[in-house]
Amino acid sequence: MKEKRKRRLLQLDYDDENWGFNLTRRWMSSSKCYGLLDGKQRMVLPCAYDIIRRFDADGCAWVRRNGLWGLVDTTGRFLVNLQFEEAGTFVNGLCWVKKNGHWGRIDRHGNVVTPYTRDAHHAVMAFLVIEHDGRYGAIDADGLSLLPTVYDSIEEQILWEHGYACWSGKTDEGLRIALAKCDGEFWLLDDFGHKRFEEPFTSLYCQVRCDVFPFHTKEFCYRANRLFIERRKDASLPADTNNCLVGIYDVQLNQFIAPCIYDRIAFKEPSFFFDYSYPYCVAARDGKETLLDMNGHETMPLEYDSIDYNPSSEDEYLIPAFKDGLWGYINAEGVIKIPFRYRWAGQFANGVAEVQFGRRHNGIDIENLTPGHDHPITIDRHGKIVNVFVKP
């Protein structure tokens, strides 16, 4: 199974590449139809389907033709014939399906586990969503209430990098979650419809982590398990950048690893948050900044006016920081490595970094050129000047 996971590729413009297959399509009777080609361009499924979802971790995919859903494996063989009006997501080997207007649960071989007796609006992961007077609630497999019918929507979501998008039937690599929405606020649900925490939030976004390189091969394997959760400071005021606190929630651990106490948590592009090589991000609170490690802990005192942490820098342990009107360099624990004495300090590259002093330094008149000119001021890792432009 581990080897199969490594073969999963990201969706590209018109080709949906996953598990080594290419999603091909053509027009039939003025509508798009889809099929599957394997890595050798051999037809696995003919171009005769309205929708082909991605293969899941067990090598199964739902396909739809003429309004009916069926389940296929990676050889194109039908595990369950086309017969369902709706089909959900497999959770612990079971999936909600709709047949003859009623919902029931089946396994991957089509065996009925829960009879087709449930009436519901739609299925979300391992639970059903019911509707009453335009409001939505949730029930479990036994028909017991999980959520009252007071929500504007209860939907399954696929989290992508830098945001979330409503589930459209075809999944991208990312993390499946369930969200309940009411009056502009959200609740995060687990696979079985229970609230992960009681307090609502105003927005969430995620930064997925890339474990397979290099990029140009398109051999990606994303794993998104950390969510940035934003909540209102004052519930009586609108949610905006001045009335939100952000924290970090780990979906796999089912807990906050950094509480919602920060005004901002920033990560650099195109880094991947909590990547194994670059396990820090910048967090701001009350006008000061610090670093958070991959466990959500502050690694240094919250005392810097600005921290220019960049995981793509050559030396991530010489981090430009701004304090009391001057720039210097610190490590990830806040230990000063090069004293605070610069008007500006850049990232290290090839063993040196560009900086700016005042007009005089050590008795020398120094022209403060903008970084990038032919003769910038550069220092080595010990803070020694190795290149300076002196006025004639």
Side-chain angles (χ1 to χ4, degrees):
M1 189 59 62
K2 184 177 180 181
E3 291 300 316
K4 288 184 177 180
R5 275 188 176 275
K6 291 184 178 180
R7 295 173 56 205
R8 299 184 76 174
L9 305 179
L10 281 178
Q11 178 179 339
L12 306 176
D13 297 328
Y14 296 108
D15 293 325
D16 191 11
E17 302 186 37
N18 59 92
W19 284 83
F21 294 100
N22 295 327
L23 182 67
T24 185
R25 65 182 177 184
R26 63 176 178 172
W27 291 90
M28 296 180 64
S29 302
S30 73
S31 62
K32 295 177 183 177
C33 290
Y34 295 87
L36 278 181
L37 300 175
D38 66 13
K40 296 183 179 180
Q41 301 300 302
R42 294 175 300 196
M43 186 67 72
V44 176
L45 282 176
C47 286
Y49 298 94
D50 307 322
I51 295 177
I52 299 177
R53 295 183 188 170
R54 283 184 175 270
F55 288 95
D56 61 20
D58 293 307
C60 301
W62 286 105
V63 299
R64 190 183 75 179
R65 184 171 65 187
N66 297 328
L68 295 178
W69 291 88
L71 190 68
V72 299
D73 63 14
T74 55
T75 67
R77 178 176 64 92
F78 272 90
L79 302 175
V80 182
N81 292 327
L82 298 164
Q83 58 182 293
F84 302 115
E85 298 144 28
E86 298 287 347
T89 303
F90 277 97
V91 177
N92 295 340
L94 300 178
C95 179
W96 285 104
V97 291
K98 186 177 182 180
K99 187 174 183 180
N100 298 326
H102 299 285
W103 289 86
R105 285 191 304 171
I106 62 170
D107 62 18
R108 295 183 185 276
H109 303 288
N111 300 316
V112 178
V113 177
T114 302
Y116 302 109
T117 57
R118 300 282 184 259
D119 293 320
H121 188 271
H122 62 276
V124 172
M125 305 177 87
F127 61 95
L128 292 174
V129 176
I130 56 176
E131 184 266 342
H132 179 70
D133 292 337
R135 312 292 281 182
Y136 298 90
I139 59 174
D140 63 14
D142 297 320
L144 301 177
S145 177
L146 295 170
L147 298 172
T149 51
V150 298
Y151 297 92
D152 301 328
S153 65
I154 301 176
E155 298 290 343
E156 185 173 338
Q157 309 281 329
I158 299 297
L159 291 181
W160 294 339
E161 189 177 2
H162 308 312
Y164 61 90
C166 290
W167 180 59
S168 61
K170 283 171 48 183
T171 70
D172 202 340
E173 300 295 336
L175 178 68
R176 286 182 180 270
I177 64 170
L179 288 178
K181 179 182 178 182
C182 183
D183 298 331
E185 294 187 312
F186 298 88
W187 285 262
L188 184 64
L189 309 178
D190 64 16
D191 293 357
F192 301 94
H194 302 105
K195 291 182 180 179
R196 291 181 179 269
F197 44 86
E198 286 296 328
E199 189 175 351
F201 58 90
T202 56
S203 66
L204 67 83
Y205 53 99
C206 78
Q207 179 76 5
V208 291
R209 181 170 63 195
C210 184
D211 296 325
V212 180
F213 294 90
F215 294 125
H216 67 267
T217 63
K218 299 187 179 68
E219 293 179 354
F220 290 96
C221 179
Y222 283 105
R223 182 168 68 251
N225 61 335
R226 305 284 171 89
L227 304 179
F228 295 83
I229 302 289
E230 289 185 351
R231 289 174 172 166
R232 297 185 189 185
K233 291 182 184 178
D234 188 339
S236 63
L237 298 177
D240 57 31
T241 54
N242 296 321
N243 189 35
C244 279
L245 295 175
V246 61
I248 304 172
Y249 185 83
D250 190 300
V251 176
Q252 292 181 353
L253 296 178
N254 198 25
Q255 66 183 25
F256 279 93
I257 62 171
C260 291
I261 59 175
Y262 298 99
D263 301 313
R264 177 175 56 88
I265 297 179
F267 46 88
K268 292 285 186 177
E269 298 291 350
S271 68
F272 295 90
F273 185 56
F274 293 149
D275 181 81
Y276 292 117
S277 301
Y278 312 117
Y280 304 106
C281 66
V282 178
R285 178 159 52 99
D286 300 328
K288 298 296 182 178
E289 295 187 353
T290 184
L291 288 184
L292 300 182
D293 63 16
M294 64 183 302
N295 295 314
H297 301 146
E298 296 182 3
T299 65
M300 62 179 69
L302 188 73
E303 61 183 25
Y304 298 97
D305 301 312
S306 180
I307 299 176
D308 188 18
Y309 173 68
N310 189 339
S312 61
S313 174
E314 177 187 278
D315 195 335
E316 64 169 305
Y317 297 107
L318 283 174
I319 304 169
F322 186 67
K323 183 179 179 181
D324 299 329
L326 293 173
W327 285 87
Y329 290 86
I330 59 176
N331 65 10
E333 288 73 39
V335 177
I336 298 175
K337 307 302 289 186
I338 299 177
F340 288 80
R341 59 192 179 195
Y342 308 108
R343 291 176 53 193
W344 175 86
Q347 301 288 340
F348 272 87
N350 299 320
V352 297
E354 299 177 4
V355 297
Q356 287 184 344
F357 288 101
R359 292 189 60 82
R360 293 182 62 82
H361 179 68
N362 291 341
I364 301 175
D365 286 323
I366 299 175
E367 183 69 29
N368 288 293
L369 297 177
T370 301
H373 283 117
D374 294 335
H375 302 285
I377 303 166
T378 56
I379 59 173
D380 62 16
R381 290 189 174 94
H382 303 287
K384 181 180 178 181
I385 295 177
V386 294
N387 180 25
V388 61
F389 177 70
V390 182
K391 295 185 66 174

